[in-house]
Every structure is written in structure tokens, then in C-alpha cells.
């Protein structure tokens, strides 16, 4: 076989895979436990948002079978009610299947927790790393 890497995906129109195995979402500033309730604390809101994304994240079965790992980063915009308006790939994982899953994730997980008043903007734009690892630890 040549190189196992594929060209990265750049759209989010393909249907998501139906596999249910999930792995953690990496978040640089997420501290504390996840909460499904939105509060006025931006740190708690961020944890709730990442928890919502993690609940809906799927590891594509073919990517698992091919031992593909990576951390694509997606930038998405959402309105003040938690509805996703747009998603783009900010950084590729190097694998089209992982990138496609990362792109489809925010829309599948909506409505996302609405941002508190302390988070400025309408829409609110965030960049989030989505970690795909196969470690068995």
C-alpha cells in the first residue's frame, strides 16, 4: 500500500456514519465537569458545549479499521439560541473520514447550549479541536 492518508474533506453535506463508538473531544480551555445546563459562567458554558459535542461524536468504522488517528479543528458559528449557522475545517487531521466527521458534528449535536450574555457576538464563532484516538488505555 502507498500512503494511507487521504485528501481532507471540505464540506459537511455527506450523511454521518452510523457507528456509535466515541472518543473524547479535546478542549484547551474546558475545565470542570460537563453540565447540560447553561449558566452565566463562560467556563461552565464551554464545558456544557463540549459535552454536547462529545455526546454526538462518532468514530468512523473504516477510519478505526485503518487505524486512522488525528485531531481536526473545526470553526463553527452559532446563533444566540444554539443553532449552528456554518462549519468549516480550520485544520485537517490528514484523513478525509475524520475531517468529515468533525465537520458534521456541530450540526448533528444542535441545538447547542446557548451562550451566556458574557460571550459577545451574534453569531458566536468558535474553533474546537476534535480528537480521534484509538488508544486502549
Amino acid at each position: 500500500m502507498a500512503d494511507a492518508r487521504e485528501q481532507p474533506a471540505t464540506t459537511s453535506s455527506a450523511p454521518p456514519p452510523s457507528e456509535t463508538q466515541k472518543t473524547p473531544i479535546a478542549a484547551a480551555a474546558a475545565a470542570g465537569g460537563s453540565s447540560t445546563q447553561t449558566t452565566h459562567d463562560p467556563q461552565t458554558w464551554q464545558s456544557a458545549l463540549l459535552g454536547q459535542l462529545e455526546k454526538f461524536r462518532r468514530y468512523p468504522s473504516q477510519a478505526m479499521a485503518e487505524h486512522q488517528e488525528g485531531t481536526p479543528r473545526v470553526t463553527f458559528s452559532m446563533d444566540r439560541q444554539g443553532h449552528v449557522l456554518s462549519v468549516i475545517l480550520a485544520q485537517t487531521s490528514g484523513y478525509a473520514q475524520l475531517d468529515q466527521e468533525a465537520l458534521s458534528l456541530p450540526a448533528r449535536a444542535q441545538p447547542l447550549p446557548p451562550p451566556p450574555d458574557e460571550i459577545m457576538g451574534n453569531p458566536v464563532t468558535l474553533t474546537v479541536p476534535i480528537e480521534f484516538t484509538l488508544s486502549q488505555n
Side-chain angles (χ1 to χ4, degrees), residues 8 14 22 24 27 30 56-57 60 72 76 86 89 97-99 111 124 132:
K22 300 174 185 178
F56 285 87
R57 205 166 78 39
F76 63 94
S86 67
L89 187 64
Q97 294 173 51
L98 301 183
D99 293 348
V124 174
F132 294 91

Side-chain angles (χ1 to χ4, degrees), residues 46-87:
Q46 185 180 33
S47 294
L49 176 69
L50 293 170
Q52 178 75 0
L53 291 172
E54 186 172 345
K55 263 197 293 193
F56 285 87
R57 205 166 78 39
R58 301 172 184 155
Y59 207 126
S61 62
Q62 186 175 353
M64 284 193 309
E66 295 174 5
H67 303 288
Q68 296 176 359
E69 295 183 322
T71 305
R73 294 173 57 90
V74 293
T75 298
F76 63 94
S77 295
M78 60 186 275
D79 64 18
R80 304 286 313 171
Q81 291 73 45
H83 299 105
V84 176
L85 305 172
S86 67
V87 182

Side-chain angles (χ1 to χ4, degrees), residues 78-131:
M78 60 186 275
D79 64 18
R80 304 286 313 171
Q81 291 73 45
H83 299 105
V84 176
L85 305 172
S86 67
V87 182
I88 62 167
L89 187 64
Q91 180 181 336
T92 182
S93 67
Y95 296 103
Q97 294 173 51
L98 301 183
D99 293 348
Q100 183 61 47
E101 168 57 19
L103 283 166
S104 63
L105 178 59
R108 188 171 59 247
Q110 67 182 330
L112 299 171
D117 294 339
E118 291 80 8
I119 303 294
M120 303 305 289
N122 191 16
V124 174
T125 301
L126 303 163
T127 297
V128 181
I130 311 296
E131 186 176 294

